[in-house]
């Protein structure tokens, strides 16, 4: 996952609205959104390593992950970061307890940001700093830097999402359209992350489209008190795939 934005209203019937794009190599094998056979997890699945980038559980938990972009910090022998998402969704630990257990071991993985929601609290972990964040109500976002780092794509998506919410234009179609914005940032506004300028420019778009790498999934998740709606628009190198929408009743919290 490379870009996530959300609107969290813990005291509302519609607690969490989240929109996200997963960017990945087209050659990496991936299963589309579905209920997993081996767990009560609704998510797409990385068929190479077995984890996921964004998912929800039948008990109303949510987790999502972005990679921190720094080519100098990548290790080929590091475990898959996708297991951190599925690990939280399989767990019954609170968000705070899960991140507290993970924090001392976060540097075992290539750098990441992990967003978790346990039905009560929305929290994040920045692995580079081993820092746990208690995220506030309202709008938030993360891309391939620390939470709320004001990259152009993050600022653009957050502003557009806020406008859609204000105007009441929050249909799946409207939110998926926000996630398919291919405009790139001006060179003067680009971050410096250690990749060549042409790649930095291409990655500055909300929706990335390169010959062998790009946005593979645009997702909209709505978590209410007793239900979840999850919509995913898939893409491959040739263009859009089927839109999948799944609605499920959540198990009562004990």
């Amino acid at each position: 996952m490379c870009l996530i934005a959300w609107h969290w209203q813990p005291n509302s019937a519609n607690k969490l609205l989240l929109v996200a794009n997963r960017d990945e190599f087209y050659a990496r094998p991936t299963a589309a959104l579905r209920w997993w056979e081996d767990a009560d997890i609704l998510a797409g699945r990385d068929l190479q390593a077995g984890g996921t980038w964004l998912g929800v559980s039948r008990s109303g938990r949510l987790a999502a992950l972005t990679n921190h972009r720094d080519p100098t910090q990548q290790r080929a022998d590091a475990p898959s970061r996708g297991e951190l998402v599925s690990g939280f969704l399989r767990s019954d630990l609170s968000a705070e307890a899960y991140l507290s257990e993970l924090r001392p071991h976060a540097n075992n993985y290539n750098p990441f940001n992990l967003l978790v929601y346990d039905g009560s609290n929305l929290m994040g972990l920045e692995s580079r700093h081993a820092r746990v964040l208690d995220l506030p109500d309202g709008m938030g976002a993360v891309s391939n830097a620390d939470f709320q780092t004001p990259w152009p794509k993050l600022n653009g998506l957050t502003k557009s999402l806020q406008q859609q919410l204000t105007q009441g234009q929050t249909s799946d179609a409207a939110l998926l359209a926000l996630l398919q914005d291919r405009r790139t940032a001006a060179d003067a506004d680009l971050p410096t992350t250690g990749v060549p300028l042409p790649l930095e420019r291409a990655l500055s778009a909300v929706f990335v489209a390169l010959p062998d790498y790009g946005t593979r999934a645009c997702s909209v998740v709505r978590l209410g008190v007793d239900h979840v709606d999850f919509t995913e628009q898939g893409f491959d190198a040739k263009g859009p795939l089927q839109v999948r929408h799944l609605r499920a009743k959540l198990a009562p919290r004990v």
Side-chain angles (χ1 to χ4, degrees):
M1 187 68 67
C2 287
L3 182 58
I4 309 170
W6 61 85
H7 185 232
W8 184 41
Q9 307 172 90
N11 298 317
S12 167
N14 301 309
K15 291 181 174 293
L16 182 63
L17 169 65
L18 180 145
V19 298
N21 275 353
R22 180 212 182 196
D23 300 341
E24 184 53 85
F25 288 99
Y26 296 121
R28 188 161 183 136
T30 298
L33 177 69
R34 67 190 64 185
W35 285 103
W36 291 12
E37 295 179 356
D38 57 340
D40 279 337
I41 293 175
L42 177 60
R45 197 163 196 172
D46 172 18
L47 298 179
Q48 180 170 306
T52 188
W53 54 94
L54 166 65
V56 298
S57 72
R58 204 176 288 277
S59 60
R61 297 162 73 84
L62 175 144
L65 180 140
T66 68
N67 301 336
H68 191 284
R69 192 189 306 153
D70 184 348
T72 68
Q73 298 296 316
Q74 302 303 306
R75 303 194 327 268
D77 61 343
S80 170
R81 291 163 285 196
E83 68 184 31
L84 302 175
V85 175
S86 54
F88 178 77
L89 298 177
R90 295 176 189 270
S91 171
D92 59 4
L93 292 175
S94 68
E96 182 178 10
Y98 185 82
L99 296 184
S100 294
E101 284 195 3
L102 173 60
R103 177 165 51 181
H105 313 290
N107 62 359
N108 292 342
Y109 299 84
N110 285 326
F112 67 86
N113 302 301
L114 181 62
L115 177 75
V116 295
Y117 174 66
D118 61 11
S120 299
N121 296 300
L122 184 68
M123 303 187 72
L125 171 62
E126 297 169 347
S127 73
R128 290 191 316 136
H129 315 295
R131 180 167 61 193
V132 172
L133 306 172
D134 194 355
L135 298 169
D137 303 5
M139 297 292 299
V142 64
S143 185
N144 301 117
D146 295 343
F147 281 81
Q148 295 297 151
T149 299
W151 284 7
K153 66 193 300 179
L154 183 143
N155 287 344
L157 180 60
T158 304
K159 180 179 178 181
S160 295
L161 178 59
Q162 183 63 72
Q163 289 174 341
Q164 297 290 78
L165 289 168
T166 300
Q167 296 167 7
Q169 299 177 0
T170 58
S171 67
D172 285 350
L175 297 180
L176 289 173
L178 296 183
L179 293 169
Q180 296 175 40
D181 183 354
R182 301 190 182 208
R183 291 175 296 175
T184 57
D187 286 358
D189 297 328
L190 294 176
T192 301
T193 65
V195 302
L197 177 59
L199 180 56
E200 196 81 78
R201 189 181 296 128
L203 295 177
S204 72
V206 169
F207 186 96
V208 177
L210 291 165
D212 58 352
Y213 178 92
T215 300
R216 298 281 304 274
C218 299
S219 302
V220 177
V221 182
R222 307 170 194 271
L223 269 171
V225 174
D226 61 359
H227 70 279
V228 59
D229 284 279
F230 198 145
T231 300
E232 178 187 276
Q233 168 73 75
F235 296 85
D236 63 15
K238 298 179 181 178
L241 303 172
Q242 177 185 5
V243 177
R244 300 177 68 88
H245 175 78
L246 291 167
R247 180 181 176 90
K249 206 166 172 56
L250 299 176
R253 298 183 65 195
V254 178

